[in-house]
Amino acid sequence: MRELARLQSLQVKTGQLLTKSRLDEILRSDIEKLYNALEQNVNKFEQLHQDGESLETLDDPARRHDIRNAIGIARGYAELIKETETLPTATLSNLLDKIILWTNKSLNILERSAKPRFDPNKFSVTSSDNEDFEGNILILDDQPANRDILGRHIRNLGLNTFACANATEAFSVLENNDIDLILLDLVMPEMSGHEVLARLKTSELWRAVPVIVISGLGEQAEVIKCIEAGAEDYLQKPFNSVLLKARLRAGLNRKRWVDKERHLSNELEKSHRFIKNTFGRYLSTEIVNNLLEKPHGLDMGGSLQTVTILMADIRSFTTISEKLSPQNVVLLLNNYLGIMAEVIMEHSGIVDEFIGDAILALFGAPVANPNDTDNAIRCAIAMQHKMEEVNHLNREQGLPEIQIGIGLNTGEVVAGNIGSSKRSKYGVVGHTVNLTSRVEDQTEKGEILATQATLEQSNLTLSLGRTLELKPKGVSEVVRVSAVNEITSAIDKKQKSKQNTG
Amino acid sequence: MKRILIVEDNELNRDMLTRRLVRKDYSVASVDDGQKALDYLEQEIPDIILMDMDLPVLNGWQTCQAVRKNQKTRDIPIIALTAHAMSDDKQKAIEAGCNDYATKPIDFPKLIEQIESLT
């Protein structure tokens, strides 16, 4: 126990002063008291030592109180002598400093160990411990005495205070500090509390800062006016510190929630912006909104999903493009891809990729929807219809007319963010994708070919054209595909069968 | 000269506070329990009372309440001398009618400020 050894040596030195020095009566008596106080400390520390305790480990509140009191008394005497002696000897002054240092150190150790140990049950946002009672309080009062008393009360609660004598000062403090609550005096010469309040509440920046009005007796009418004007609460002079504390706490809590709400809404805004930037370019509004509602839809580590894939390309594009200048090729592609992308989005698909003149669109990823396959089929038909518009635009711009073929296939793919951490892109891979490409290869101008898998998944009643049996490279089984001409009935198969049975 | 009544059972503490306050030119009387404080107040009305809360016979809270109930003494400012920085002693002291509190070990310059602002 280092504190004890140090203490004993200090006590001995104090005793020596008494025997060696010639002292005046008052000083002798003070030093005797100091010696007694140190002795009391020695006894208490020895007792502590015997009990196997130390300042750090002492838990019993009564004993902590006792020892704190004893240390405080020793410090009190040392400070007293320091204050009284205008010309102390070097030895005395030195000794007193050492004693005060020792008391402060010991008290620090005691206070540090007094910090409540972490108790998860007590740990909550609404905890009423002084620990989390913090904030910057602005006091606006023209009376120096009021500012002083209020300031002291509030600082005792562990809060920071900014005392202002007039409105000008207060607004300058508000501009330069993050103020959590304002205590506002009503009657002030320059600008009344009521006027200050009105200005605060019309300010975008300060509107959310709670205001507690301080009133004297008989200012009831004014208080009511202030509360109507947006003051949170009021306090009557002379202050009752319990009420003051309770109202400060309520006001600060309110401010904290407002801040938290603001922070959360900023965060939300940020993440919405991120999702919109990332997906907005190739996702329909509906899907972006869907993602925003179900953010876990974004946890795309790569998952197995059933999707309908639509692939489209311009038939004989190579031949067409050879006859055009590069600028016109780009113009042609932009006319075509721009309009098609819109059609795909309208049908809740996402454009996963433009590869030259080819489009790869997905229905059912990243967010699955029961109508994915139907949407894909409707989309393919709409795309073919839209080609009239594309060609109209082309003719106007002196560009050749084009025709597209569309392949549709449904099956499982691995969907997710594919790539490295530096560059990754949402996409799909798998056999289903490759097969779609093979199907699309077989289309003629203006044709839609859908695999059996897609047709089986669909609830639409379709008029089908030719049927082909494909044996694509690398695929063992025969793949049946049919040309989709149009949707013959808007009522889907399920509903139809219901009507038939009913 | 402002008159202070110290109510404190710890002899050294009482002595130390008395000495320090006297050197600051206050007139100081002291008693060591709550009942003696009430007896003293029958005879004398000080400008302020410094009251330890952990008192024998009649504790600080009871004494405070008694002071506040008495027509003669109810306006005397009281500063509670409380023990634990972390406990709810302060709250209790204020509820019992104290005007302010000082936590032990006493920060003397601050105590003087408190005394001055209440007297």
Side-chain angles (χ1 to χ4, degrees), chain A residues 26 29-30 33 65 68-69 72 77 79 83-84 107 152 156 241-242, chain B residues 12-13 15-16 19-20 23 54 83-84 94 100 104 110 113-114 117:
Chain A
I26 293 174
S29 153
D30 284 349
K33 290 288 181 183
H65 169 203
R68 187 189 290 116
N69 213 357
Y77 279 116
E79 285 174 350
E83 283 159 17
T84 313
L107 286 169
R152 243 175 348 89
N156 278 346
S241 85
V242 176
Chain B
L12 270 177
N13 217 354
D15 175 77
M16 184 266 290
R19 284 179 190 234
R20 292 191 83 173
R23 308 276 162 92
D54 239 348
H84 313 291
I94 301 292
D100 207 340
K104 290 183 192 174
K110 196 174 133 192
E113 258 183 59
Q114 288 171 299
S117 76

PDB file of all heavy atoms in Angstrom, chain A residues 26 29-30 33 65 68-69 72 77 79 83-84 107 152 156 241-242, chain B residues 12-13 15-16 19-20 23 54 83-84 94 100 104 110 113-114 117:
ATOM      1  N   ILE A  26      -1.414  30.275  16.786  1.00  0.00           N
ATOM      2  CA  ILE A  26      -2.449  29.851  15.842  1.00  0.00           C
ATOM      3  C   ILE A  26      -1.892  28.767  14.922  1.00  0.00           C
ATOM      4  O   ILE A  26      -2.498  27.709  14.725  1.00  0.00           O
ATOM      5  CB  ILE A  26      -2.946  31.050  14.994  1.00  0.00           C
ATOM      6  CG1 ILE A  26      -3.691  32.030  15.895  1.00  0.00           C
ATOM      7  CG2 ILE A  26      -3.839  30.572  13.854  1.00  0.00           C
ATOM      8  CD1 ILE A  26      -4.104  33.300  15.206  1.00  0.00           C
ATOM      9  N   SER A  29      -1.392  25.443  16.662  1.00  0.00           N
ATOM     10  CA  SER A  29      -2.660  24.758  16.872  1.00  0.00           C
ATOM     11  C   SER A  29      -3.172  24.146  15.555  1.00  0.00           C
ATOM     12  O   SER A  29      -3.649  23.018  15.525  1.00  0.00           O
ATOM     13  CB  SER A  29      -3.670  25.745  17.460  1.00  0.00           C
ATOM     14  OG  SER A  29      -4.976  25.387  17.130  1.00  0.00           O
ATOM     15  N   ASP A  30      -3.040  24.905  14.459  1.00  0.00           N
ATOM     16  CA  ASP A  30      -3.478  24.376  13.155  1.00  0.00           C
ATOM     17  C   ASP A  30      -2.678  23.136  12.773  1.00  0.00           C
ATOM     18  O   ASP A  30      -3.227  22.138  12.286  1.00  0.00           O
ATOM     19  CB  ASP A  30      -3.292  25.440  12.060  1.00  0.00           C
ATOM     20  CG  ASP A  30      -4.368  26.526  12.130  1.00  0.00           C
ATOM     21  OD1 ASP A  30      -5.350  26.334  12.878  1.00  0.00           O
ATOM     22  OD2 ASP A  30      -4.216  27.560  11.432  1.00  0.00           O
ATOM     23  N   LYS A  33      -3.662  20.113  14.666  1.00  0.00           N
ATOM     24  CA  LYS A  33      -4.891  19.531  14.120  1.00  0.00           C
ATOM     25  C   LYS A  33      -4.594  18.744  12.856  1.00  0.00           C
ATOM     26  O   LYS A  33      -5.138  17.649  12.630  1.00  0.00           O
ATOM     27  CB  LYS A  33      -5.915  20.643  13.807  1.00  0.00           C
ATOM     28  CG  LYS A  33      -6.476  21.283  15.033  1.00  0.00           C
ATOM     29  CD  LYS A  33      -7.438  20.314  15.737  1.00  0.00           C
ATOM     30  CE  LYS A  33      -8.041  20.964  16.976  1.00  0.00           C
ATOM     31  NZ  LYS A  33      -8.914  20.031  17.701  1.00  0.00           N
ATOM     32  N   HIS A  65     -17.246   6.302   2.640  1.00  0.00           N
ATOM     33  CA  HIS A  65     -17.646   7.603   3.149  1.00  0.00           C
ATOM     34  C   HIS A  65     -16.706   8.041   4.259  1.00  0.00           C
ATOM     35  O   HIS A  65     -16.193   9.156   4.283  1.00  0.00           O
ATOM     36  CB  HIS A  65     -19.101   7.502   3.653  1.00  0.00           C
ATOM     37  CG  HIS A  65     -19.555   8.695   4.435  1.00  0.00           C
ATOM     38  ND1 HIS A  65     -20.584   8.640   5.328  1.00  0.00           N
ATOM     39  CD2 HIS A  65     -19.101   9.971   4.466  1.00  0.00           C
ATOM     40  CE1 HIS A  65     -20.741   9.837   5.877  1.00  0.00           C
ATOM     41  NE2 HIS A  65     -19.857  10.664   5.356  1.00  0.00           N
ATOM     42  N   ARG A  68     -13.216   8.815   2.930  1.00  0.00           N
ATOM     43  CA  ARG A  68     -13.253  10.042   2.125  1.00  0.00           C
ATOM     44  C   ARG A  68     -13.298  11.257   3.054  1.00  0.00           C
ATOM     45  O   ARG A  68     -12.616  12.256   2.839  1.00  0.00           O
ATOM     46  CB  ARG A  68     -14.480  10.020   1.219  1.00  0.00           C
ATOM     47  CG  ARG A  68     -14.509  11.173   0.227  1.00  0.00           C
ATOM     48  CD  ARG A  68     -15.828  11.268  -0.517  1.00  0.00           C
ATOM     49  NE  ARG A  68     -16.030  10.188  -1.459  1.00  0.00           N
ATOM     50  CZ  ARG A  68     -17.002   9.286  -1.369  1.00  0.00           C
ATOM     51  NH1 ARG A  68     -17.866   9.341  -0.370  1.00  0.00           N
ATOM     52  NH2 ARG A  68     -17.142   8.350  -2.265  1.00  0.00           N
ATOM     53  N   ASN A  69     -14.106  11.122   4.095  1.00  0.00           N
ATOM     54  CA  ASN A  69     -14.247  12.185   5.071  1.00  0.00           C
ATOM     55  C   ASN A  69     -12.906  12.486   5.744  1.00  0.00           C
ATOM     56  O   ASN A  69     -12.494  13.641   5.861  1.00  0.00           O
ATOM     57  CB  ASN A  69     -15.261  11.729   6.123  1.00  0.00           C
ATOM     58  CG  ASN A  69     -16.061  12.884   6.667  1.00  0.00           C
ATOM     59  OD1 ASN A  69     -15.801  14.039   6.289  1.00  0.00           O
ATOM     60  ND2 ASN A  69     -17.013  12.596   7.532  1.00  0.00           N
ATOM     61  N   GLY A  72     -10.573  14.153   3.412  1.00  0.00           N
ATOM     62  CA  GLY A  72     -11.052  15.519   3.211  1.00  0.00           C
ATOM     63  C   GLY A  72     -10.674  16.441   4.357  1.00  0.00           C
ATOM     64  O   GLY A  72     -10.346  17.607   4.139  1.00  0.00           O
ATOM     65  N   TYR A  77      -7.378  20.950   6.548  1.00  0.00           N
ATOM     66  CA  TYR A  77      -6.406  21.608   7.435  1.00  0.00           C
ATOM     67  C   TYR A  77      -5.201  22.105   6.651  1.00  0.00           C
ATOM     68  O   TYR A  77      -4.699  23.203   6.890  1.00  0.00           O
ATOM     69  CB  TYR A  77      -5.961  20.656   8.558  1.00  0.00           C
ATOM     70  CG  TYR A  77      -6.958  20.590   9.706  1.00  0.00           C
ATOM     71  CD1 TYR A  77      -7.617  19.414  10.016  1.00  0.00           C
ATOM     72  CD2 TYR A  77      -7.214  21.722  10.480  1.00  0.00           C
ATOM     73  CE1 TYR A  77      -8.521  19.344  11.063  1.00  0.00           C
ATOM     74  CE2 TYR A  77      -8.121  21.673  11.532  1.00  0.00           C
ATOM     75  CZ  TYR A  77      -8.775  20.483  11.816  1.00  0.00           C
ATOM     76  OH  TYR A  77      -9.665  20.440  12.852  1.00  0.00           O
ATOM     77  N   GLU A  79      -5.036  22.987   3.592  1.00  0.00           N
ATOM     78  CA  GLU A  79      -5.438  24.172   2.818  1.00  0.00           C
ATOM     79  C   GLU A  79      -5.599  25.381   3.738  1.00  0.00           C
ATOM     80  O   GLU A  79      -5.225  26.501   3.387  1.00  0.00           O
ATOM     81  CB  GLU A  79      -6.751  23.906   2.066  1.00  0.00           C
ATOM     82  CG  GLU A  79      -6.570  23.020   0.843  1.00  0.00           C
ATOM     83  CD  GLU A  79      -7.906  22.648   0.180  1.00  0.00           C
ATOM     84  OE1 GLU A  79      -8.975  22.911   0.770  1.00  0.00           O
ATOM     85  OE2 GLU A  79      -7.864  22.095  -0.924  1.00  0.00           O
ATOM     86  N   GLU A  83      -3.710  28.912   3.462  1.00  0.00           N
ATOM     87  CA  GLU A  83      -4.423  30.178   3.293  1.00  0.00           C
ATOM     88  C   GLU A  83      -4.005  31.199   4.361  1.00  0.00           C
ATOM     89  O   GLU A  83      -3.915  32.378   4.097  1.00  0.00           O
ATOM     90  CB  GLU A  83      -5.944  29.955   3.424  1.00  0.00           C
ATOM     91  CG  GLU A  83      -6.611  29.341   2.213  1.00  0.00           C
ATOM     92  CD  GLU A  83      -7.952  28.684   2.589  1.00  0.00           C
ATOM     93  OE1 GLU A  83      -8.491  28.981   3.685  1.00  0.00           O
ATOM     94  OE2 GLU A  83      -8.418  27.876   1.775  1.00  0.00           O
ATOM     95  N   THR A  84      -3.797  30.672   5.590  1.00  0.00           N
ATOM     96  CA  THR A  84      -3.542  31.568   6.711  1.00  0.00           C
ATOM     97  C   THR A  84      -2.126  32.129   6.681  1.00  0.00           C
ATOM     98  O   THR A  84      -1.906  33.308   6.941  1.00  0.00           O
ATOM     99  CB  THR A  84      -3.755  30.827   8.044  1.00  0.00           C
ATOM    100  OG1 THR A  84      -4.974  30.121   7.961  1.00  0.00           O
ATOM    101  CG2 THR A  84      -3.798  31.789   9.211  1.00  0.00           C
ATOM    102  N   LEU A 107      -8.010  10.610  -3.065  1.00  0.00           N
ATOM    103  CA  LEU A 107      -9.422  10.818  -3.392  1.00  0.00           C
ATOM    104  C   LEU A 107      -9.701  10.380  -4.824  1.00  0.00           C
ATOM    105  O   LEU A 107     -10.740   9.786  -5.119  1.00  0.00           O
ATOM    106  CB  LEU A 107      -9.805  12.290  -3.210  1.00  0.00           C
ATOM    107  CG  LEU A 107      -9.947  12.747  -1.760  1.00  0.00           C
ATOM    108  CD1 LEU A 107     -10.066  14.269  -1.673  1.00  0.00           C
ATOM    109  CD2 LEU A 107     -11.160  12.087  -1.104  1.00  0.00           C
ATOM    110  N   ARG A 152     -24.252  27.467 -11.510  1.00  0.00           N
ATOM    111  CA  ARG A 152     -23.625  26.560 -10.561  1.00  0.00           C
ATOM    112  C   ARG A 152     -24.446  25.292 -10.388  1.00  0.00           C
ATOM    113  O   ARG A 152     -23.923  24.184 -10.393  1.00  0.00           O
ATOM    114  CB  ARG A 152     -23.409  27.264  -9.227  1.00  0.00           C
ATOM    115  CG  ARG A 152     -21.962  27.354  -8.907  1.00  0.00           C
ATOM    116  CD  ARG A 152     -21.541  28.111  -7.693  1.00  0.00           C
ATOM    117  NE  ARG A 152     -22.530  28.930  -7.052  1.00  0.00           N
ATOM    118  CZ  ARG A 152     -23.342  28.493  -6.098  1.00  0.00           C
ATOM    119  NH1 ARG A 152     -23.260  27.226  -5.701  1.00  0.00           N
ATOM    120  NH2 ARG A 152     -24.210  29.301  -5.548  1.00  0.00           N
ATOM    121  N   ASN A 156     -23.170  21.588 -11.510  1.00  0.00           N
ATOM    122  CA  ASN A 156     -23.146  20.498 -10.527  1.00  0.00           C
ATOM    123  C   ASN A 156     -23.783  19.234 -11.074  1.00  0.00           C
ATOM    124  O   ASN A 156     -23.489  18.134 -10.623  1.00  0.00           O
ATOM    125  CB  ASN A 156     -23.879  20.911  -9.255  1.00  0.00           C
ATOM    126  CG  ASN A 156     -22.998  21.729  -8.346  1.00  0.00           C
ATOM    127  OD1 ASN A 156     -21.773  21.763  -8.538  1.00  0.00           O
ATOM    128  ND2 ASN A 156     -23.588  22.402  -7.388  1.00  0.00           N
ATOM    129  N   SER A 241     -34.058  23.045  -7.138  1.00  0.00           N
ATOM    130  CA  SER A 241     -33.076  22.366  -7.968  1.00  0.00           C
ATOM    131  C   SER A 241     -33.554  20.984  -8.409  1.00  0.00           C
ATOM    132  O   SER A 241     -33.118  20.477  -9.431  1.00  0.00           O
ATOM    133  CB  SER A 241     -31.720  22.305  -7.279  1.00  0.00           C
ATOM    134  OG  SER A 241     -31.666  21.214  -6.437  1.00  0.00           O
ATOM    135  N   VAL A 242     -34.463  20.373  -7.632  1.00  0.00           N
ATOM    136  CA  VAL A 242     -34.986  19.074  -8.058  1.00  0.00           C
ATOM    137  C   VAL A 242     -35.827  19.234  -9.315  1.00  0.00           C
ATOM    138  O   VAL A 242     -35.700  18.496 -10.290  1.00  0.00           O
ATOM    139  CB  VAL A 242     -35.822  18.426  -6.939  1.00  0.00           C
ATOM    140  CG1 VAL A 242     -36.433  17.124  -7.420  1.00  0.00           C
ATOM    141  CG2 VAL A 242     -34.955  18.178  -5.718  1.00  0.00           C
TER     142      VAL A 242
ATOM    143  N   LEU B  12     -13.263  16.638  14.135  1.00  0.00           N
ATOM    144  CA  LEU B  12     -12.191  17.251  13.347  1.00  0.00           C
ATOM    145  C   LEU B  12     -12.761  18.071  12.190  1.00  0.00           C
ATOM    146  O   LEU B  12     -12.296  19.161  11.887  1.00  0.00           O
ATOM    147  CB  LEU B  12     -11.254  16.170  12.804  1.00  0.00           C
ATOM    148  CG  LEU B  12     -10.075  15.797  13.690  1.00  0.00           C
ATOM    149  CD1 LEU B  12      -9.274  14.668  13.046  1.00  0.00           C
ATOM    150  CD2 LEU B  12      -9.173  17.011  13.922  1.00  0.00           C
ATOM    151  N   ASN B  13     -13.785  17.499  11.567  1.00  0.00           N
ATOM    152  CA  ASN B  13     -14.403  18.197  10.446  1.00  0.00           C
ATOM    153  C   ASN B  13     -15.016  19.524  10.905  1.00  0.00           C
ATOM    154  O   ASN B  13     -14.883  20.552  10.248  1.00  0.00           O
ATOM    155  CB  ASN B  13     -15.498  17.296   9.853  1.00  0.00           C
ATOM    156  CG  ASN B  13     -15.559  17.412   8.349  1.00  0.00           C
ATOM    157  OD1 ASN B  13     -14.872  18.243   7.753  1.00  0.00           O
ATOM    158  ND2 ASN B  13     -16.386  16.591   7.735  1.00  0.00           N
ATOM    159  N   ASP B  15     -14.203  21.240  13.522  1.00  0.00           N
ATOM    160  CA  ASP B  15     -13.118  22.152  13.904  1.00  0.00           C
ATOM    161  C   ASP B  15     -12.477  22.771  12.664  1.00  0.00           C
ATOM    162  O   ASP B  15     -12.258  23.974  12.585  1.00  0.00           O
ATOM    163  CB  ASP B  15     -12.073  21.386  14.717  1.00  0.00           C
ATOM    164  CG  ASP B  15     -10.873  22.251  15.035  1.00  0.00           C
ATOM    165  OD1 ASP B  15     -10.982  23.089  15.950  1.00  0.00           O
ATOM    166  OD2 ASP B  15      -9.837  22.110  14.338  1.00  0.00           O
ATOM    167  N   MET B  16     -12.209  21.909  11.682  1.00  0.00           N
ATOM    168  CA  MET B  16     -11.533  22.379  10.466  1.00  0.00           C
ATOM    169  C   MET B  16     -12.387  23.424   9.760  1.00  0.00           C
ATOM    170  O   MET B  16     -11.915  24.491   9.389  1.00  0.00           O
ATOM    171  CB  MET B  16     -11.242  21.172   9.574  1.00  0.00           C
ATOM    172  CG  MET B  16     -10.470  21.454   8.318  1.00  0.00           C
ATOM    173  SD  MET B  16     -11.533  21.735   6.913  1.00  0.00           S
ATOM    174  CE  MET B  16     -12.194  20.087   6.661  1.00  0.00           C
ATOM    175  N   ARG B  19     -12.541  26.677  11.775  1.00  0.00           N
ATOM    176  CA  ARG B  19     -11.315  27.465  11.635  1.00  0.00           C
ATOM    177  C   ARG B  19     -11.256  28.176  10.278  1.00  0.00           C
ATOM    178  O   ARG B  19     -10.919  29.352  10.187  1.00  0.00           O
ATOM    179  CB  ARG B  19     -10.086  26.569  11.764  1.00  0.00           C
ATOM    180  CG  ARG B  19      -9.809  26.179  13.195  1.00  0.00           C
ATOM    181  CD  ARG B  19      -8.601  25.268  13.258  1.00  0.00           C
ATOM    182  NE  ARG B  19      -8.497  24.717  14.609  1.00  0.00           N
ATOM    183  CZ  ARG B  19      -7.384  24.806  15.345  1.00  0.00           C
ATOM    184  NH1 ARG B  19      -6.304  25.370  14.861  1.00  0.00           N
ATOM    185  NH2 ARG B  19      -7.358  24.308  16.558  1.00  0.00           N
ATOM    186  N   ARG B  20     -11.563  27.413   9.254  1.00  0.00           N
ATOM    187  CA  ARG B  20     -11.429  28.001   7.923  1.00  0.00           C
ATOM    188  C   ARG B  20     -12.420  29.146   7.723  1.00  0.00           C
ATOM    189  O   ARG B  20     -12.082  30.164   7.118  1.00  0.00           O
ATOM    190  CB  ARG B  20     -11.658  26.931   6.847  1.00  0.00           C
ATOM    191  CG  ARG B  20     -10.559  25.880   6.826  1.00  0.00           C
ATOM    192  CD  ARG B  20     -10.643  24.990   5.616  1.00  0.00           C
ATOM    193  NE  ARG B  20     -10.001  25.609   4.457  1.00  0.00           N
ATOM    194  CZ  ARG B  20      -9.815  24.964   3.308  1.00  0.00           C
ATOM    195  NH1 ARG B  20     -10.240  23.729   3.156  1.00  0.00           N
ATOM    196  NH2 ARG B  20      -9.215  25.567   2.305  1.00  0.00           N
ATOM    197  N   ARG B  23     -11.426  32.283   9.652  1.00  0.00           N
ATOM    198  CA  ARG B  23     -10.350  33.026   8.969  1.00  0.00           C
ATOM    199  C   ARG B  23     -10.909  33.834   7.797  1.00  0.00           C
ATOM    200  O   ARG B  23     -10.279  34.758   7.315  1.00  0.00           O
ATOM    201  CB  ARG B  23      -9.283  32.075   8.419  1.00  0.00           C
ATOM    202  CG  ARG B  23      -8.712  31.084   9.404  1.00  0.00           C
ATOM    203  CD  ARG B  23      -7.582  31.655  10.261  1.00  0.00           C
ATOM    204  NE  ARG B  23      -7.400  30.785  11.428  1.00  0.00           N
ATOM    205  CZ  ARG B  23      -6.547  29.766  11.469  1.00  0.00           C
ATOM    206  NH1 ARG B  23      -5.795  29.490  10.431  1.00  0.00           N
ATOM    207  NH2 ARG B  23      -6.442  29.032  12.548  1.00  0.00           N
ATOM    208  N   ASP B  54     -25.508  13.212   7.879  1.00  0.00           N
ATOM    209  CA  ASP B  54     -25.339  11.976   8.651  1.00  0.00           C
ATOM    210  C   ASP B  54     -25.150  12.314  10.117  1.00  0.00           C
ATOM    211  O   ASP B  54     -24.055  12.283  10.637  1.00  0.00           O
ATOM    212  CB  ASP B  54     -24.055  11.293   8.144  1.00  0.00           C
ATOM    213  CG  ASP B  54     -24.372   9.917   7.616  1.00  0.00           C
ATOM    214  OD1 ASP B  54     -25.497   9.432   7.846  1.00  0.00           O
ATOM    215  OD2 ASP B  54     -23.477   9.329   6.976  1.00  0.00           O
ATOM    216  N   ALA B  83     -22.354  13.298   1.718  1.00  0.00           N
ATOM    217  CA  ALA B  83     -21.174  12.453   1.725  1.00  0.00           C
ATOM    218  C   ALA B  83     -20.820  11.918   0.359  1.00  0.00           C
ATOM    219  O   ALA B  83     -19.692  11.979  -0.076  1.00  0.00           O
ATOM    220  CB  ALA B  83     -21.390  11.304   2.688  1.00  0.00           C
ATOM    221  N   HIS B  84     -21.782  11.374  -0.327  1.00  0.00           N
ATOM    222  CA  HIS B  84     -21.443  10.616  -1.531  1.00  0.00           C
ATOM    223  C   HIS B  84     -21.747  11.405  -2.785  1.00  0.00           C
ATOM    224  O   HIS B  84     -22.863  11.845  -2.999  1.00  0.00           O
ATOM    225  CB  HIS B  84     -22.234   9.308  -1.579  1.00  0.00           C
ATOM    226  CG  HIS B  84     -22.208   8.577  -0.291  1.00  0.00           C
ATOM    227  ND1 HIS B  84     -21.066   8.000   0.175  1.00  0.00           N
ATOM    228  CD2 HIS B  84     -23.165   8.360   0.621  1.00  0.00           C
ATOM    229  CE1 HIS B  84     -21.328   7.425   1.343  1.00  0.00           C
ATOM    230  NE2 HIS B  84     -22.600   7.642   1.644  1.00  0.00           N
ATOM    231  N   ILE B  94     -32.235  18.312  -0.977  1.00  0.00           N
ATOM    232  CA  ILE B  94     -33.018  19.400  -1.581  1.00  0.00           C
ATOM    233  C   ILE B  94     -34.501  19.192  -1.264  1.00  0.00           C
ATOM    234  O   ILE B  94     -35.225  20.126  -0.938  1.00  0.00           O
ATOM    235  CB  ILE B  94     -32.792  19.448  -3.115  1.00  0.00           C
ATOM    236  CG1 ILE B  94     -31.309  19.652  -3.425  1.00  0.00           C
ATOM    237  CG2 ILE B  94     -33.648  20.523  -3.763  1.00  0.00           C
ATOM    238  CD1 ILE B  94     -30.723  20.982  -3.055  1.00  0.00           C
ATOM    239  N   ASP B 100     -29.077  24.293  -1.058  1.00  0.00           N
ATOM    240  CA  ASP B 100     -27.938  23.930  -1.891  1.00  0.00           C
ATOM    241  C   ASP B 100     -27.216  22.790  -1.170  1.00  0.00           C
ATOM    242  O   ASP B 100     -27.578  22.437  -0.046  1.00  0.00           O
ATOM    243  CB  ASP B 100     -27.011  25.141  -2.051  1.00  0.00           C
ATOM    244  CG  ASP B 100     -26.223  25.081  -3.357  1.00  0.00           C
ATOM    245  OD1 ASP B 100     -26.109  23.970  -3.916  1.00  0.00           O
ATOM    246  OD2 ASP B 100     -25.719  26.126  -3.794  1.00  0.00           O
ATOM    247  N   LYS B 104     -18.789  16.286   0.266  1.00  0.00           N
ATOM    248  CA  LYS B 104     -17.512  16.080   0.960  1.00  0.00           C
ATOM    249  C   LYS B 104     -16.610  15.219   0.093  1.00  0.00           C
ATOM    250  O   LYS B 104     -17.103  14.292  -0.551  1.00  0.00           O
ATOM    251  CB  LYS B 104     -17.758  15.378   2.293  1.00  0.00           C
ATOM    252  CG  LYS B 104     -18.441  16.252   3.315  1.00  0.00           C
ATOM    253  CD  LYS B 104     -18.546  15.449   4.602  1.00  0.00           C
ATOM    254  CE  LYS B 104     -19.460  16.123   5.595  1.00  0.00           C
ATOM    255  NZ  LYS B 104     -19.664  15.281   6.776  1.00  0.00           N
ATOM    256  N   LYS B 110     -15.502  26.943  -3.293  1.00  0.00           N
ATOM    257  CA  LYS B 110     -16.851  26.810  -3.839  1.00  0.00           C
ATOM    258  C   LYS B 110     -17.888  26.977  -2.724  1.00  0.00           C
ATOM    259  O   LYS B 110     -18.928  27.606  -2.928  1.00  0.00           O
ATOM    260  CB  LYS B 110     -16.985  25.429  -4.486  1.00  0.00           C
ATOM    261  CG  LYS B 110     -18.193  25.323  -5.401  1.00  0.00           C
ATOM    262  CD  LYS B 110     -18.211  23.993  -6.123  1.00  0.00           C
ATOM    263  CE  LYS B 110     -19.599  23.381  -6.029  1.00  0.00           C
ATOM    264  NZ  LYS B 110     -19.637  21.992  -6.455  1.00  0.00           N
ATOM    265  N   GLU B 113     -18.439  30.527  -2.092  1.00  0.00           N
ATOM    266  CA  GLU B 113     -19.306  31.064  -3.150  1.00  0.00           C
ATOM    267  C   GLU B 113     -20.769  30.760  -2.854  1.00  0.00           C
ATOM    268  O   GLU B 113     -21.640  31.625  -2.979  1.00  0.00           O
ATOM    269  CB  GLU B 113     -18.995  30.355  -4.479  1.00  0.00           C
ATOM    270  CG  GLU B 113     -18.156  31.115  -5.464  1.00  0.00           C
ATOM    271  CD  GLU B 113     -18.008  30.308  -6.743  1.00  0.00           C
ATOM    272  OE1 GLU B 113     -19.051  29.986  -7.360  1.00  0.00           O
ATOM    273  OE2 GLU B 113     -16.866  29.961  -7.109  1.00  0.00           O
ATOM    274  N   GLN B 114     -20.998  29.512  -2.468  1.00  0.00           N
ATOM    275  CA  GLN B 114     -22.373  29.091  -2.187  1.00  0.00           C
ATOM    276  C   GLN B 114     -22.948  29.874  -1.017  1.00  0.00           C
ATOM    277  O   GLN B 114     -24.091  30.323  -1.058  1.00  0.00           O
ATOM    278  CB  GLN B 114     -22.412  27.585  -1.897  1.00  0.00           C
ATOM    279  CG  GLN B 114     -22.182  26.737  -3.138  1.00  0.00           C
ATOM    280  CD  GLN B 114     -22.006  25.269  -2.805  1.00  0.00           C
ATOM    281  OE1 GLN B 114     -21.067  24.917  -2.087  1.00  0.00           O
ATOM    282  NE2 GLN B 114     -22.874  24.423  -3.314  1.00  0.00           N
ATOM    283  N   SER B 117     -23.733  33.386  -2.095  1.00  0.00           N
ATOM    284  CA  SER B 117     -24.874  33.576  -2.991  1.00  0.00           C
ATOM    285  C   SER B 117     -26.205  33.366  -2.266  1.00  0.00           C
ATOM    286  O   SER B 117     -27.245  33.781  -2.754  1.00  0.00           O
ATOM    287  CB  SER B 117     -24.771  32.662  -4.211  1.00  0.00           C
ATOM    288  OG  SER B 117     -25.103  31.345  -3.846  1.00  0.00           O
TER     289      SER B 117
END
